[in-house]
Amino acid sequence: MAESVNEQNRRWCFADQLGPHFLDDPAQAVLLIESRAVFQRRRFHRRKAHLVLSALRHRAAELGEQALFLQTRTYREALDQVHGPVSVCQPTSWQADRFVRSLPAVQVLPARGFCTSREAFDEWAKNQRTLLMENFYRTARRRFDLLMDGDDPVQGRWNFDADNREPAPKDRQQLGIPPPWRPTEDEIDERVRADLNRWERDGDVSFVGNDGPREFPVTATEAQSALQVFLRDRLPHFGPHEDAILAGDPFMAHSLLSAPMNLGLLDPLDCAYAAEDAFRSGQAPLASVEGYIRQLIGWRDYIWHVYWHFGYGYRRRNALRAHGALPDWFAELDADAVQAHCLRDVLAQVRDHGWVHHIPRLMVLSNYAMQRGWHPGAVADWFHRCFVDGYDWVMVANVIGMAQHADGGLMATKPYAAGGAYINRMSDYCGPCQYRPSERVGDRACPFTGGYWWFLARNCEQLAGNRRMTQPLAGLRRLKDLDDVVAQQQDLGGTPP
């Protein structure tokens, strides 16, 4: 607790604004609200519910009497108990932003927890023909003087992505690097788990996924410890296999910092400068450091700004007219119902951890959903609820725009659709699988390979004007067994592959 609490302007911090950088000074009075209605409205992953509530309650315990911590059914019920001026940094969802701006007694401040401001992004965007992430990233590199030698990028290269696409090692089941940081649970974690158990027994809430020991930081101190372990032990190995998958090593060399960062426990710009320091001091190679910094000041910020730039209606875009419902086995994380090795393993990881890294998200889960023609809004909602780092701003742009190509190309220049050959090249899944990535028809046909051609056949007219799809569509026209492929995929329906 601060020695002298400044109560002149109490700062309301949402559960994803829990770091010290959301306060104007260390002694500022704080308002924290735990709303049970948030968990009653949607079926979140059990691990996500535990993580968020644990982080919120840990922050309240840290602040002591400096924080007014209210546990109510709704935010409005809590706000009725608050007297005096309240300020809040811009929330991270359209719904929450509209809500706080409807409250006359609440002052809404600019967003924090991101690198580029909304004003700076809008100034950049108005001079762009298309909002290419790479152009935004280079502008951010210059603005923040990250990995720069004067006006030029270090070693003359902006992007080392081509060096960071090595496939999964063929000679081992794990990368063989030090493990990520892991927390030790405490009494607050135990109380959160007991409350969640009671709420479920009482029928107040319902979750998906399996519970288990907490795996991610819930305080700024824990998050800093996790960051230091990543910088020291894992960042040097991050780049080369950034896009690879090993069934026996789900975490590879990834930072696992997206969850605490999206809780507001880490400042992304601070993390970017710390990674640059690792390169400058010779502790990590440039390709790995550049790849990580690109995720922070490039992709993460870009996704945040796309969410606001294209407006609330962006979530309803459905350029490929995909209207299929998520089947129960997928929605309920029933990995045991699936035979396809890659999809079974990735879905099990989501069920048991609420997390997989970006390539299983994009090229296994999202790829399969797009091939099947599931409604993009439902897919985005599933990712939001089922991932510990999933929030509205994260998943609307990532899923609607990039993963499902539902925005018609506002974000990605082509659909991220791929057959089994890609998964075979970048992972070790296909060897023990009963399906063969080279086969598209028959009992051994890979559901991703057949699904890829079915996706192109369904959407060939919509994609015909896309120059990057010229070669895939030409391949589609050469298929002699296309009718058989389509018929087999249609027969599968929503059954697990």
Side-chain angles (χ1 to χ4, degrees):
M1 171 183 164
E3 292 184 1
S4 177
V5 177
N6 177 8
E7 297 192 11
Q8 293 302 309
N9 190 351
R10 188 177 292 274
R11 178 60 44 80
W12 176 12
C13 293
F14 279 83
D16 55 358
Q17 300 174 333
L18 299 179
H21 50 291
F22 287 92
L23 304 184
D24 293 338
D25 69 74
Q28 184 172 19
V30 175
L31 170 64
L32 300 171
I33 302 174
E34 179 180 304
S35 166
R36 192 181 304 188
V38 170
F39 299 99
Q40 293 173 329
R41 287 193 294 265
R42 309 168 83 174
R43 293 186 67 213
F44 288 99
H45 199 293
R46 170 64 186 250
R47 281 180 177 262
K48 179 174 186 172
H50 182 272
L51 186 73
V52 171
L53 291 183
S54 178
L56 191 63
R57 295 183 188 184
H58 273 90
R59 185 60 168 149
E62 285 176 347
L63 293 170
E65 294 181 8
Q66 185 179 339
L68 175 61
F69 180 42
L70 301 174
Q71 295 171 294
T72 57
R73 193 182 69 84
T74 68
Y75 288 122
R76 287 192 184 276
E77 291 175 3
L79 292 169
D80 287 342
Q81 304 177 41
V82 180
H83 305 286
V86 172
S87 63
V88 64
C89 298
Q90 180 199 328
T92 60
S93 73
W94 280 100
Q95 295 91 329
D97 187 65
R98 283 201 301 261
F99 174 61
V100 298
R101 293 181 191 278
S102 73
L103 304 170
V106 175
Q107 177 190 13
V108 183
L109 304 173
R112 299 185 188 181
F114 298 89
C115 304
T116 298
S117 69
R118 287 183 63 183
E119 292 75 17
F121 180 86
D122 290 340
E123 183 67 23
W124 170 81
K126 72 181 184 182
N127 297 314
Q128 306 297 312
R129 293 180 59 186
T130 56
L131 302 184
L132 292 179
M133 199 284 289
E134 181 66 20
N135 292 343
F136 169 72
Y137 165 61
R138 295 184 184 188
T139 300
R141 283 267 295 274
R142 292 188 179 99
R143 178 184 298 116
F144 300 118
D145 193 26
L146 275 161
L147 295 181
M148 300 294 293
D149 282 339
D151 295 331
D152 299 317
V154 170
Q155 296 185 12
R157 289 179 61 182
W158 289 103
N159 190 314
F160 286 77
D161 197 33
D163 298 349
N164 292 347
R165 295 175 179 170
E166 292 187 20
K170 301 300 183 184
D171 58 346
R172 55 190 187 272
Q173 296 180 329
Q174 296 182 328
L175 281 184
I177 66 173
W181 175 90
R182 279 290 180 261
T184 300
E185 289 198 355
D186 58 17
E187 292 181 358
I188 294 177
D189 288 302
E190 293 178 6
R191 289 197 295 271
V192 170
R193 186 166 286 112
D195 285 344
L196 294 175
N197 289 339
R198 187 179 72 255
W199 296 353
E200 282 194 287
R201 287 195 305 268
D202 293 345
D204 291 343
V205 298
S206 176
F207 299 110
V208 297
N210 293 338
D211 194 11
R214 177 164 61 86
E215 296 179 305
F216 299 92
V218 292
T219 68
T221 299
E222 286 189 343
Q224 283 297 323
S225 296
L227 172 63
Q228 294 308 313
V229 168
F230 170 66
L231 294 173
R232 184 190 67 225
D233 298 340
R234 299 169 63 78
L235 177 59
H237 310 279
F238 171 67
H241 300 292
E242 181 181 347
D243 289 355
I245 308 172
L246 284 172
D249 193 350
F251 304 126
M252 303 292 280
H254 292 273
S255 73
L256 277 74
L257 296 175
S258 57
M261 192 171 293
N262 291 353
L263 287 168
L265 300 174
L266 289 170
D267 186 308
L269 197 54
D270 288 346
C271 295
Y273 284 123
E276 182 185 38
D277 288 344
F279 162 69
R280 300 283 188 185
S281 63
Q283 302 303 304
L286 179 57
S288 290
V289 171
E290 187 278 321
Y292 180 60
I293 288 177
R294 179 159 23 96
Q295 288 187 343
L296 296 177
I297 71 169
W299 189 254
R300 183 176 186 271
D301 256 33
Y302 177 75
I303 288 294
W304 160 257
H305 289 297
V306 163
Y307 177 80
W308 297 102
H309 184 79
F310 287 130
Y312 183 75
Y314 185 79
R315 71 182 60 245
R316 295 192 293 270
R317 288 181 177 266
N318 193 354
L320 299 181
R321 298 192 290 274
H323 297 287
L326 271 63
D328 289 344
W329 60 267
F330 191 90
E332 299 296 327
L333 309 180
D334 185 9
D336 294 338
V338 180
Q339 299 301 314
H341 189 200
C342 60
L343 187 56
R344 177 188 179 96
D345 185 69
V346 172
L347 200 61
Q349 290 179 38
V350 178
R351 177 195 65 200
D352 296 336
H353 301 282
W355 186 93
V356 295
H357 73 76
H358 68 284
I359 294 300
R361 297 188 199 204
L362 179 63
M363 302 310 298
V364 178
L365 298 170
S366 296
N367 185 21
Y368 191 80
M370 183 167 62
Q371 290 180 3
R372 301 295 112 185
W374 298 342
H375 193 283
V379 178
D381 176 71
W382 180 87
F383 272 96
H384 179 174
R385 293 182 295 104
C386 293
F387 279 78
V388 293
D389 57 2
Y391 295 85
D392 199 53
W393 71 268
V394 177
M395 294 308 180
V396 167
N398 263 311
V399 176
I400 300 294
M402 185 181 187
Q404 300 299 297
H405 204 69
D407 66 357
L410 292 177
M411 267 188 63
T413 55
K414 72 178 184 67
Y416 276 85
Y422 176 89
I423 297 173
N424 188 35
R425 182 170 69 253
M426 298 303 296
S427 78
D428 59 354
Y429 280 133
C430 296
C433 185
Q434 71 181 54
Y435 302 116
R436 308 310 323 141
S438 60
E439 298 185 23
R440 55 182 176 263
V441 177
D443 292 340
R444 288 161 52 87
C446 172
F448 282 88
T449 301
Y452 172 75
W453 295 113
W454 185 39
F455 167 77
L456 291 182
R458 289 199 321 272
N459 297 286
C460 57
E461 292 184 7
Q462 291 98 313
L463 300 175
N466 188 323
R467 287 181 295 178
R468 294 195 65 190
M469 296 303 296
T470 299
Q471 185 173 350
L473 293 176
L476 177 72
R477 290 189 291 270
R478 290 193 295 270
L479 288 191
K480 303 298 185 183
D481 56 357
L482 180 59
D483 290 343
D484 294 333
V485 173
V486 170
Q488 180 167 334
Q489 296 303 313
Q490 288 176 331
D491 287 344
L492 287 175
T495 59

